[in-house]
Amino acid sequence: MKSLKSILALSFLFLTATSSLVCSDGLELKDFKEDVVKTVVVSPNGAANFKTIQEAIDYIPSGNQDWIKIILSPGIYNEKIVIPKEKQKIIMQGNNASEVILQYNDAGLSSSSGPIIVNAEYFAAINITFKNANFSKSTPIIPKKEVNVAPSIILMADKAWFYGCNFISVQDTLADYRGRHYFKNCYIEGAIDFIWGMGQSIYQNCVIYVRGRTSKRGRMLRGFITAQGRESEQDTSGFVFNNCVIIGNGMASLGRAYRGYSRVVFYKTNMSNVIVPQGWDAWGQKGHEDKITFAEVKCTGEGANKEKRVKWEKNLTDKEIDFLIHPKTFIDEDGWMGSLPSSLVSLL
């Protein structure tokens, strides 16, 4: 397998750069009014304010109303972190995602395994790798017996934002469990349901890497990129992938229906041949496919050939697509993104 750094370098040749002063959804510098009031530094060798990330989280007062930045020095942080709901407005930032690795060897539970659980609103992370180390010694093609539920992050709250982060595991990698979230220029790796949950999220300019896995007899097994859990027509949740890239060394469906009204849309995404021809799986919702919203719009690449796609894939109107792909309408209708610090505007 190519190194993570080389994969990212190749993949982002497909992606579109964003202006440093005007965001892709129309937000401008004047829209951002709050700023960071305090910064602390964490280093695993102890040459900082704190030695562990959890110590820095514990330091933040409950009911915090001001943005606090936690700078992570280069290193591997082997710890299990919980951010309680009363500790809002936290920014965790590294200088380079390949040098700042937050990991933990913990598998088996989709709601609590892994290195970090975010229960607080207004959480931001920049240039950090979140990794479930349970598979750190696996070969590029993973034997079926080694696959287990192993999140790299669990998002349990509304209003989270990620830039330049890596999420690495095999099954249930990114637990986009609940709330509105925005991911930009991120890398997400896994094999089974590795972007899953009931979240309402936009993935902008992200790289999705499908890991290969084999049966006991060595046969390549199909994986699933998404498992989204929208539960009704009134449920506003869904996963939207805008201008992303899908690559890998395995094969996978774009998604399977985790709940009855599952909603996943890929827009202007470049898909390699890792995507299986049928594209999607109704899973436990067979016979009720009319309630599922799985769609691909203006996608490119060998894997985007729709000739053999499932017949029940949705054809969305231009108005529906326009609503879903823009943060202002899909995830920022109340303007929460405008409360992010102005110092982050160039990254949006």
Side-chain angles (χ1 to χ4, degrees):
M1 182 191 293
K2 296 179 180 178
S3 69
L4 176 60
K5 186 177 290 186
S6 63
I7 290 170
L8 288 171
L10 287 171
S11 300
F12 279 111
L13 291 175
F14 293 97
L15 305 179
T16 304
T18 303
S19 167
S20 62
L21 291 178
V22 180
C23 308
S24 59
D25 60 341
L27 291 173
E28 298 182 23
L29 190 61
K30 62 181 176 61
D31 298 313
F32 295 78
K33 306 185 187 318
E34 300 190 48
D35 232 319
V36 175
V37 300
K38 189 173 184 63
T39 299
V40 297
V41 180
V42 181
S43 175
N45 63 22
N49 301 107
F50 304 100
K51 189 173 182 178
T52 71
I53 298 170
Q54 189 64 59
E55 287 175 338
I57 298 297
D58 294 343
Y59 161 80
I60 296 172
S62 296
N64 173 60
Q65 295 298 312
D66 298 311
W67 282 100
I68 296 177
K69 182 181 289 187
I70 301 173
I71 297 291
L72 303 183
S73 300
I76 296 175
Y77 296 83
N78 190 33
E79 54 178 304
K80 193 172 181 69
I81 299 157
V82 177
I83 301 178
K85 64 181 180 180
E86 63 270 16
K87 300 200 175 189
Q88 302 183 3
K89 295 193 173 181
I90 293 174
I91 302 169
M92 287 173 44
Q93 182 169 352
N95 65 326
N96 187 314
S98 66
E99 298 175 355
V100 179
I101 301 171
L102 202 170
Q103 67 177 32
Y104 197 76
N105 184 347
D106 184 19
L109 297 173
S110 61
S111 60
S112 59
S113 295
I116 183 168
I117 303 173
V118 180
N119 294 310
E121 295 185 352
Y122 295 106
F123 173 79
I126 304 167
N127 298 337
I128 298 170
T129 291
F130 299 92
K131 180 179 180 182
N132 196 308
N134 191 57
F135 302 99
S136 60
K137 296 181 180 179
S138 295
T139 58
I141 303 296
I142 308 157
K144 182 179 180 180
K145 64 181 180 180
E146 291 190 25
V147 176
N148 198 352
V149 172
S152 69
I153 190 169
I154 300 172
L155 299 175
M156 301 292 287
D158 196 22
K159 304 166 189 171
W161 177 85
F162 298 84
Y163 178 89
C165 291
N166 304 326
F167 304 89
I168 300 173
S169 186
V170 176
Q171 183 171 349
D172 293 0
T173 301
L174 201 169
D176 193 347
Y177 193 78
R178 182 186 296 120
R180 294 167 296 169
H181 310 135
Y182 185 65
F183 301 82
K184 185 170 183 181
N185 291 9
C186 292
Y187 171 92
I188 308 160
E189 177 181 304
I192 304 174
D193 302 339
F194 60 99
I195 304 172
W196 77 279
M198 286 70 75
Q200 181 174 338
S201 302
I202 291 178
Y203 294 80
Q204 179 78 40
N205 295 13
C206 292
V207 175
I208 300 166
Y209 189 91
V210 177
R211 294 193 67 172
R213 64 189 183 102
T214 57
S215 67
K216 292 180 180 180
R217 297 184 178 182
R219 180 174 60 89
M220 186 71 78
L221 297 173
R222 176 180 57 143
F224 304 90
I225 293 174
T226 65
Q228 202 281 328
R230 184 168 175 251
E231 297 185 297
S232 70
E233 288 185 1
Q234 292 71 41
D235 187 340
T236 59
S237 71
F239 298 159
V240 177
F241 298 85
N242 188 352
N243 198 35
C244 294
V245 172
I246 303 174
I247 54 176
N249 65 351
M251 62 179 190
S253 294
L254 292 166
R256 56 180 175 177
Y258 180 51
R259 292 287 189 270
Y261 289 79
S262 183
R263 178 163 62 177
V264 180
V265 176
F266 286 88
Y267 179 76
K268 289 188 177 180
T269 289
N270 185 278
M271 304 177 182
S272 73
N273 62 2
V274 301
I275 301 304
V276 297
Q278 63 269 35
W280 306 93
D281 193 321
W283 202 17
Q285 310 304 323
K286 292 180 180 178
H288 303 280
E289 289 90 347
D290 60 311
K291 298 177 181 178
I292 301 169
T293 302
F294 288 162
E296 303 163 66
V297 181
K298 297 182 180 180
C299 294
T300 59
E302 189 175 349
N305 187 330
K306 297 173 68 173
E307 289 183 6
K308 297 182 179 179
R309 288 293 196 260
V310 294
K311 302 301 183 184
W312 45 267
E313 182 178 23
K314 288 291 191 298
N315 292 311
L316 302 180
T317 66
D318 291 344
K319 184 177 180 180
E320 288 171 326
I321 289 296
D322 191 61
F323 174 85
L324 292 168
I325 64 174
H326 290 102
K328 275 222 180 250
T329 49
F330 186 53
I331 61 172
D332 190 36
E333 69 283 0
D334 59 354
W336 70 270
M337 293 178 74
S339 67
L340 293 171
S342 58
S343 57
L344 302 184
V345 66
S346 64
L347 302 179
L348 278 170

